[in-house]
Amino acid sequence: MTYRAAGVDVAGGDQFVCDITETVRATQKAHPGRVLGDLKQFAGMFHLGAMVEDPVLISGTDGVGTKLIIAQELKRHRTIGIDLVAMCMNDVLTAGAIPLFFLDYLGTGRIDAQTLAEVVEGIGEGCRRAGCVLLGGETAEMPDFYEPGVYDLSGCAVGVVSRRRLIDGTAVRTGDVLIGLPSSGLHSNGYSLVRRILPDVEAWKKPDTVPELGTPLAEALLAPTEIYAKAVAAVREIEGVHGLVHITGGGVPGNLSRIIPEGGQARLDPASWERPPIFSLIAGRGPVEAAEMYRTFNMGLGFVMAVAPEAAAQVEAALGAAEVAFSRIGEVHARGAGEPAVRIEGIS
């Protein structure tokens, strides 16, 4: 008996590592002197040096959920890697961190080098957008655990911030202005509900434009998650940025409430920002009530900044100079007895 006969092709795995080497190195070349060693090492090594004073490392780990099912059914694997980096790094960015590096994990029943190379190309592109290094990762071939043609993804992102510049939401106060940054669509949350509402795999594959969307359905379902590194870089040195929020699982109220102080309430005007049409399609086809939509999806808001009112104009100017789209979506008010931490006008 051999390991290969049992379903694990070690030589094929080694070849796959060789195939993705250039993708990994391309992310590292943008950060000369930071990455030590090479892909032969058992662990990735990153030289922090004197990047920031009194450094605090910020880390986050995540996956992309059942959006993977759609990518694999459609055999479109390049953008799912962008999603993976985004879901991890956007969490890290909420501390005001500078992105440093990313590590990925790919699990599959059998290594399909072409498919997984496309996935890693997407991860490399996500790292480029985030401004970080793809430092390393793991590819696990596990026959009998995954069905043929199926793979799973997870990742870990690490950033750094000076302790004096750490943004943890504790400074949020009544009167703070809420500035929203647009999402690119569904991002990578709520897909279990999406697939219940839009279960027809053949409809996913049709190249025809869906009138309500202005694009084929696949384009809307697989639109990669926005990465907010440029926006955070533009404002991290501005005094008065009190809180940063990634609108991820739990939707708008579930995530925004995490920085609202006791006795405070975020009041949002849903007319103040645009929603990609995929949300109207899902709500109508479900049907899904508005409150449930906001509890499940980002509804067009991918990231929110809570800013002192005297700093709001400076933050908006910095975002504009960085060519980052934004809108004022509300303010933090005092909360009445029995009221929720987040109130969306006309919805909740």
Side-chain angles (χ1 to χ4, degrees), residues 175-179 238-243 305-313 315:
D176 279 0
V177 174
L178 299 173
I179 298 172
I238 298 176
E239 296 290 343
V241 178
H242 290 165
M305 300 179 172
V307 179
E310 63 272 17
V315 167

Side-chain angles (χ1 to χ4, degrees), residues 101-116:
F101 57 84
F102 186 79
L103 300 164
D104 68 79
Y105 170 86
L106 290 82
T108 185
R110 182 181 66 82
I111 291 178
D112 180 332
Q114 180 176 346
T115 294
L116 296 187

Side-chain angles (χ1 to χ4, degrees), residues 21-286:
T21 296
E22 283 309 309
T23 297
V24 176
R25 285 178 176 166
T27 70
Q28 298 177 354
K29 289 176 182 177
H31 302 265
R34 297 295 181 190
V35 179
L36 307 181
D38 55 32
L39 294 181
K40 295 178 182 179
Q41 305 293 330
F42 288 96
M45 296 180 282
F46 188 94
H47 180 56
L48 189 59
M51 289 184 67
V52 299
E53 179 187 2
D54 194 13
V56 177
L57 292 177
I58 311 295
S59 64
T61 186
D62 208 340
V64 295
T66 58
K67 189 174 186 177
L68 275 171
I69 294 175
I70 296 176
Q72 291 171 31
E73 286 283 359
L74 296 180
K75 295 180 170 55
R76 295 176 58 171
H77 311 287
R78 283 190 168 86
T79 59
I80 205 73
I82 300 174
D83 288 304
L84 182 64
V85 177
M87 295 305 289
C88 299
M89 193 58 79
N90 283 341
D91 282 351
V92 168
L93 289 168
T94 61
I98 301 168
L100 295 179
F101 57 84
F102 186 79
L103 300 164
D104 68 79
Y105 170 86
L106 290 82
T108 185
R110 182 181 66 82
I111 291 178
D112 180 332
Q114 180 176 346
T115 294
L116 296 187
E118 291 179 13
V119 174
V120 175
E121 286 174 15
I123 294 172
E125 173 60 20
C127 289
R128 186 191 68 77
R129 296 185 185 188
C132 70
V133 164
L134 177 52
L135 192 60
E138 168 68 7
T139 302
E141 191 171 26
M142 298 189 290
D144 305 324
F145 191 84
Y146 293 101
E147 296 179 7
V150 173
Y151 60 83
D152 193 15
L153 294 176
S154 62
C156 175
V158 176
V160 67
V161 62
S162 174
R163 188 166 185 170
R164 67 183 180 85
R165 287 296 184 187
L166 179 65
I167 301 171
D168 61 4
T170 57
V172 175
R173 297 288 184 269
T174 299
D176 279 0
V177 174
L178 299 173
I179 298 172
L181 309 184
S183 71
S184 53
L186 292 165
H187 285 186
S188 297
N189 296 113
Y191 275 83
S192 294
L193 178 58
V194 170
R195 290 183 299 103
R196 286 292 186 93
I197 294 170
L198 304 170
D200 186 357
V201 175
E202 294 307 312
W204 302 350
K205 297 178 180 178
K206 288 181 179 178
D208 313 62
T209 295
V210 177
E212 300 100 309
L213 300 177
T215 66
L217 183 57
E219 300 299 325
L221 294 178
L222 291 180
T225 306
E226 186 71 25
I227 298 175
Y228 296 97
K230 184 193 292 187
V232 174
V235 306
R236 67 164 54 94
E237 296 296 327
I238 298 176
E239 296 290 343
V241 178
H242 290 165
L244 301 173
V245 179
H246 177 204
I247 307 299
T248 180
V252 176
N255 287 286
L256 187 51
S257 63
R258 294 162 74 167
I259 66 162
I260 301 304
E262 189 69 29
Q265 182 183 66
R267 294 184 190 172
L268 309 184
D269 176 7
S272 63
W273 74 87
E274 295 184 5
R275 277 160 291 285
I278 186 64
F279 296 111
S280 296
L281 179 71
I282 291 168
R285 295 275 185 95

Side-chain angles (χ1 to χ4, degrees), residues 284-300:
R285 295 275 185 95
V288 184
E289 293 183 351
E292 180 67 12
M293 290 292 295
Y294 277 90
R295 281 194 297 265
T296 305
F297 302 108
N298 64 64
M299 296 302 285

